[in-house]
Amino acid sequence: MNKMVMDLEATIEEIKNIAETGTADDKKRLVDLLNSDSPSIVEFAQNAIVGTKANSGKKGLIKKLMDVSVSVSFSIKLRSNSFDTLKRISTQNGNFLLDYVGKNSGKYDRIAAELIRHGNFKPRKLPEKTLIVLAGSSDEITRANAIESIGILKLNPGKLLVGALNDNFFVLSAAVFSIGELKLKSMFPKLKEMFLATQDRVVRNIIIESLSKMGGDEVADFFLYLSNNNVRFKLDKIYILKSFYKICFIGDCDKNTSVAKKKLCYRLSEINLKISIFSLLDYEERDTIDSILCYFSLFNHKKSRKIFKFMFDYYQKTDMDELEYVYVKNILKKITRPKYIMEHIKSLSQSSDLDKIDILIDVLSEIMPGDIINLLDFYKDRKFFIEIKLPLLKYAKRLSSTHYELLLSNIVANDYMKDVDGDVRRSSVALLGHITKDASYIEKFFTNLLMEKYSDVIDAYIETLSNFLNVGRNKKYIYFFIDNLSLKNIKATEYSLTILGNKKRGLNDKEILDLYAKFLPLKHCKSVPLKRLLAKVLKKFDLINHKGEMSFLLEDDDEEVRLNYLESLLESGEKDSHVFFDFLSSVRSSDIFRYKIIELIQKLGNEDSFKKLVSILCKEKNKMVKIALLRALRGIDKEKSDPIIKEYSLSIDKDLRDFSLELIKN
């Protein structure tokens, strides 16, 4: 093995040992390892320091880290890594930093004032008074760090910032920064006065950045004034543009995107920045790129269309993960006029490239949701166009609880639920079930359900109708499904029975009686699937008190019908095991049926069942049934079953022997 790799592994092992068993003095050596040239060693050492418990020498480690960070006698690498480690410790609990303020003639004040902004304090405002004290330090870097931390932590600065604006460059810059972070709009006149009074372009840029965070119409009007007088102020046009953009789209000025666009468009229409689209090549920051794209979209129709086409073409040709999709979608929201999307989608033919059209519909549903209705209306009579119809139905969910809801419900129910494509019908049913709980659609849904052929669409109808039925207590619609239980229409009976069985709220006594009155004629039903379903859903309808009426299911020739009935009986609260044992000893019962009956007897758990099962086991010849009997005995009474199972663990039959040994282990 390479010696360097061996040394690295040995050092990492040493770090682990120190972290686990080292003394307080041993752990201080971890700080020395922060000077290593190996990033892995530095990372392991930092993790070990941060993970050290308070009662395991952490206080001494913090003291050494603080001493190293403030001393010029150590390497820059060690000081930087020590500072980063302190930052990580403070994110867990920053209270320790306050203990170092003012110590050793203010030796630690600079880094404490900076580290505090990264700290987690309990209570949150704990460092407020300390920072105000540090902001009055004789050291300008300490003052600047403290003032910046006040802004980042959103603490109350009192009148501190007003005085700091008259300090030197470092402190002044920190004060301007914190005014923006705290959004102190009352300071706007002062910042405006400072901007007009100074010739320092750096200070001016800092003020603009702070004002863009502050936001508001006063700030926007000031930026407009600066743009129109740029010959005098010689500002970076892109910097001004980005500031406009922040106010309208990132700040709190307007939460409604369309309102924000109108405001930005109106303001930009009053100026002409005379910038080139190629200025995009000079910037990497996302906000800057977005602001340039937005400017051309709002200010120049021809270029706006080109940018829209470029962005959509880029999306179609590029494989993207979810984060990239969201980024491109947000750009399209900012630069795209709804009519571009409408015109593009309406211009598509069946031979067009319909791939990835979903992003445009996604964007449209957020910036102009009413146009989703227009597109649904446009495509309702057009066959195919599945790639357009499905995303329209998907994103139409966003119209739920809006004034478009009724219009959307009608167009989906009357047109899209009858579409030639099964996927479109399924999505339509799911959408209508999502956006409305109006039970007036039940009859229409049920009529369509009876005509549907595709199983996934049928499932969607049944799920939606079941959800409708679970909303409130509408007697009319409960009886709609009860009345459908008839031998005249087996399909309607199957669907109604399934939907009633899915109802989460129980029926009242009268509804139960009326329901069983409808069940009785089904005795003459010849449909095996229907009888299986009936036997299965009976557990939802108080079968334990109506088992005499439904006993005809126990006489059915189909074993699944009988088994479903017995399962329903068990889940309804049946405690008597006799009916189960009758089938277990019946010559009509197959071995598989008997196996499943034994499972039900085990679930019943009656102690009087134990002896009966032992008796049956002694006479049983089928191996599969014997295995079920052994498992049931074990489940009913572990202690009593031990000698029986041990006996079978010596069986000459390998399967019985192995199964018995497995039961003993468990």
Side-chain angles (χ1 to χ4, degrees):
M1 187 183 291
N2 185 296
K3 185 177 184 302
M4 186 179 296
V5 174
M6 291 178 65
D7 290 344
L8 174 62
E9 291 182 350
T11 305
I12 290 174
E13 190 62 33
E14 180 188 1
I15 292 171
K16 290 180 180 177
N17 290 335
I18 292 173
E20 291 173 6
T21 61
T23 65
D25 288 335
D26 291 334
K27 289 181 180 178
K28 289 181 181 179
R29 173 162 149 62
L30 295 173
V31 178
D32 300 330
L33 291 172
L34 296 178
N35 200 35
S36 172
D37 292 328
S38 167
S40 296
I41 290 175
V42 171
E43 182 181 356
F44 270 91
Q46 284 183 327
N47 290 342
I49 293 170
V50 174
T52 299
K53 303 291 184 185
N55 58 356
S56 300
K58 193 161 192 173
K59 190 173 182 180
L61 277 172
I62 290 174
K63 175 68 166 59
K64 185 168 183 179
L65 288 168
M66 293 290 285
D67 288 337
V68 168
S69 298
V70 300
S71 175
V72 295
S73 60
F74 295 99
S75 70
I76 293 175
K77 183 198 301 178
L78 179 57
R79 291 162 62 195
S80 175
N81 288 336
S82 295
F83 183 86
D84 289 341
T85 308
L86 286 166
K87 190 191 300 184
R88 287 182 58 187
I89 294 171
S90 67
T91 59
Q92 295 176 344
N93 187 339
N95 290 12
F96 74 90
L97 292 169
L98 307 185
D99 296 334
Y100 283 87
V101 173
K103 278 191 176 180
N104 291 6
S105 303
K107 172 183 174 182
Y108 306 108
D109 286 0
R110 276 191 183 186
I111 66 165
E114 184 175 354
L115 284 168
I116 283 173
R117 72 189 60 165
H118 304 289
N120 179 22
F121 295 95
K122 294 179 181 179
R124 187 184 70 82
K125 292 188 176 182
L126 184 64
E128 192 173 274
K129 291 181 180 179
T130 301
L131 286 173
I132 290 174
V133 170
L134 289 171
S137 169
S138 58
D139 177 66
E140 63 180 22
I141 303 299
T142 301
R143 294 200 302 276
N145 285 345
I147 290 170
E148 272 196 27
S149 293
I150 287 172
I152 292 170
L153 294 176
K154 306 293 187 288
L155 301 175
N156 182 6
K159 298 180 179 179
L160 174 68
L161 298 181
V162 177
L165 291 176
N166 299 315
D167 210 319
N168 62 32
F169 173 78
F170 290 113
V171 180
L172 178 149
S173 300
V176 172
F177 168 84
S178 287
I179 289 170
E181 290 294 307
L182 295 167
K183 302 185 187 302
L184 299 178
K185 295 190 177 184
S186 61
M187 297 293 289
F188 168 69
K190 180 63 178 176
L191 292 185
K192 177 181 177 181
E193 178 188 333
M194 285 177 58
F195 182 95
L196 297 174
T198 185
Q199 298 297 316
D200 190 322
R201 293 186 66 181
V202 175
V203 173
R204 283 179 168 176
N205 283 342
I206 293 170
I207 293 173
I208 289 175
E209 179 69 22
S210 181
L211 290 175
S212 68
K213 294 176 186 176
M214 187 185 298
D217 288 337
E218 277 187 318
V219 173
D221 289 338
F222 182 56
F223 285 167
L224 186 62
Y225 167 75
L226 296 178
S227 301
N228 288 330
N229 293 274
N230 202 34
V231 174
R232 172 187 168 191
F233 295 111
K234 297 181 175 58
L235 298 168
D236 184 343
K237 297 175 184 178
I238 303 298
Y239 206 77
I240 290 289
L241 176 61
K242 185 177 77 169
S243 300
F244 262 116
Y245 175 79
K246 278 187 176 181
I247 291 174
C248 291
F249 285 103
I250 299 175
D252 297 327
C253 181
D254 292 295
K255 295 297 184 185
N256 185 293
T257 305
S258 61
V259 172
K261 272 195 175 185
K262 287 177 182 177
K263 180 169 285 190
L264 182 59
C265 188
Y266 171 75
R267 294 192 184 284
L268 290 180
S269 67
E270 299 181 53
I271 60 174
N272 187 351
L273 294 177
K274 296 181 180 179
I275 58 176
S276 167
I277 189 66
F278 293 107
S279 57
L280 281 169
L281 302 175
D282 300 329
Y283 298 91
E284 294 183 358
E285 186 187 17
R286 280 192 171 187
D287 286 350
T288 307
I289 293 170
D290 286 358
S291 64
I292 295 171
L293 288 170
C294 192
Y295 171 76
F296 281 103
S297 169
L298 296 171
F299 194 63
N300 187 311
H301 286 210
K302 289 183 179 179
K303 287 181 179 177
S304 174
R305 285 186 181 275
K306 287 181 180 178
I307 295 170
F308 162 68
K309 187 176 184 307
F310 167 78
M311 288 304 302
F312 182 56
D313 288 346
Y314 170 74
Y315 170 71
Q316 285 188 305
K317 294 173 184 176
T318 308
D319 291 329
M320 296 185 179
D321 60 24
E322 187 176 349
L323 288 175
E324 291 170 313
Y325 173 91
V326 171
Y327 178 60
V328 172
K329 172 189 162 182
N330 286 336
I331 289 180
L332 285 169
K333 281 171 63 178
K334 293 163 188 172
I335 68 170
T336 304
R337 295 168 186 260
K339 71 174 184 177
Y340 298 165
I341 296 178
M342 291 288 287
E343 289 170 359
H344 178 81
I345 294 177
K346 285 185 175 181
S347 70
L348 297 170
S349 66
Q350 292 180 23
S351 60
S352 301
D353 181 8
L354 302 179
D355 186 38
K356 295 187 174 182
I357 201 75
D358 59 324
I359 195 170
L360 297 184
I361 297 170
D362 188 1
V363 169
L364 193 64
S365 70
E366 293 189 8
I367 63 176
M368 195 62 69
D371 282 344
I372 297 294
I373 301 287
N374 294 334
L375 286 174
L376 283 168
D377 187 61
F378 181 79
Y379 280 102
K380 67 182 181 183
D381 297 322
R382 287 170 166 76
K383 293 183 179 180
F384 310 111
F385 291 101
I386 312 304
E387 296 88 347
I388 296 175
K389 290 181 179 181
L390 288 178
L392 279 173
L393 293 168
K394 174 183 176 182
Y395 293 111
K397 286 183 180 180
R398 291 175 178 159
L399 276 63
S400 177
S401 302
T402 67
H403 63 280
Y404 297 110
E405 189 175 278
L406 181 59
L407 194 59
L408 176 62
S409 299
N410 288 335
I411 196 170
V412 172
N414 296 327
D415 298 292
Y416 280 81
M417 287 199 334
K418 300 175 184 176
D419 196 87
V420 295
D421 183 80
D423 287 335
V424 172
R425 295 198 301 277
R426 176 176 51 76
S427 296
S428 301
V429 174
L431 172 62
L432 200 54
H434 173 82
I435 63 175
T436 180
K437 301 302 178 188
D438 187 350
S440 63
Y441 287 103
I442 283 182
E443 292 187 35
K444 187 178 188 66
F445 269 47
F446 197 77
T447 301
N448 290 348
L449 169 59
L450 293 175
M451 295 186 291
E452 185 55 59
K453 296 179 180 179
Y454 291 106
S455 60
D456 59 338
V457 185
I458 289 172
D459 290 343
Y461 271 115
I462 289 175
E463 181 181 353
T464 301
L465 285 166
S466 299
N467 290 337
F468 277 148
L469 202 60
N470 284 321
V471 178
R473 280 199 60 84
N474 191 319
K475 183 176 179 180
K476 176 183 175 183
Y477 291 104
I478 291 173
Y479 275 94
F480 172 82
F481 293 109
I482 292 177
D483 292 342
N484 273 324
L485 300 174
S486 165
L487 291 175
K488 294 178 181 178
N489 190 330
I490 298 298
K491 187 185 288 187
T493 300
E494 284 185 10
Y495 292 152
S496 297
L497 203 53
T498 302
I499 293 164
L500 285 167
N502 290 339
K503 183 170 172 55
K504 294 177 182 177
R505 299 182 184 180
L507 302 180
N508 62 37
D509 291 343
K510 184 179 184 310
E511 289 164 349
I512 290 284
L513 289 173
D514 291 339
L515 187 62
Y516 275 97
K518 284 286 187 177
F519 285 162
L520 288 176
L522 299 181
K523 178 178 181 178
H524 306 291
C525 175
K526 295 181 180 179
S527 169
V528 174
L530 177 57
K531 287 188 286 185
R532 288 175 177 175
L533 176 61
L534 173 61
K536 190 172 185 177
V537 301
L538 284 175
K539 58 191 169 190
K540 298 285 188 74
F541 306 120
D542 192 27
L543 175 60
I544 193 69
N545 292 315
H546 297 271
K547 57 185 179 181
E549 301 163 60
M550 305 306 296
S551 60
F552 66 85
L553 292 169
L554 285 176
E555 300 166 7
D556 198 88
D557 293 333
D558 184 73
E559 284 189 339
E560 190 171 338
V561 172
R562 301 201 301 271
L563 182 66
N564 286 352
Y565 178 86
L566 290 170
E567 286 180 342
S568 291
L569 195 59
L570 181 67
E571 292 191 35
S572 296
E574 180 63 72
K575 301 298 182 184
D576 189 354
S577 63
H578 287 94
V579 66
F580 300 98
F581 277 101
D582 287 344
F583 281 99
L584 195 54
S585 57
S586 172
V587 292
R588 295 175 60 203
S589 302
S590 69
D591 290 333
I592 292 176
F593 182 70
R594 293 170 68 224
Y595 181 96
K596 292 180 178 177
I597 292 294
I598 293 167
E599 289 182 332
L600 295 181
I601 293 172
Q602 181 184 346
K603 288 180 182 177
L604 190 62
N606 287 355
E607 290 186 10
D608 62 348
S609 300
F610 190 87
K611 288 182 180 180
K612 294 179 182 179
L613 291 176
V614 171
S615 176
I616 293 171
L617 177 62
C618 294
K619 302 172 186 177
E620 184 57 50
K621 295 179 180 179
N622 183 274
K623 186 196 302 185
M624 178 178 68
V625 176
K626 280 186 175 183
I627 286 174
L629 286 164
L630 289 169
R631 183 191 293 114
L633 290 170
R634 187 70 161 184
I636 294 171
D637 194 322
K638 182 179 179 182
E639 187 177 343
K640 284 184 181 180
S641 67
D642 273 347
I644 301 171
I645 293 170
K646 284 178 182 177
E647 182 181 338
Y648 274 89
S649 69
L650 302 173
S651 172
I652 58 172
D653 185 286
K654 184 179 185 303
D655 292 331
L656 287 173
R657 186 171 66 249
D658 290 348
F659 183 76
S660 299
L661 289 170
E662 190 66 30
L663 284 177
I664 292 170
K665 284 182 184 177
N666 297 329

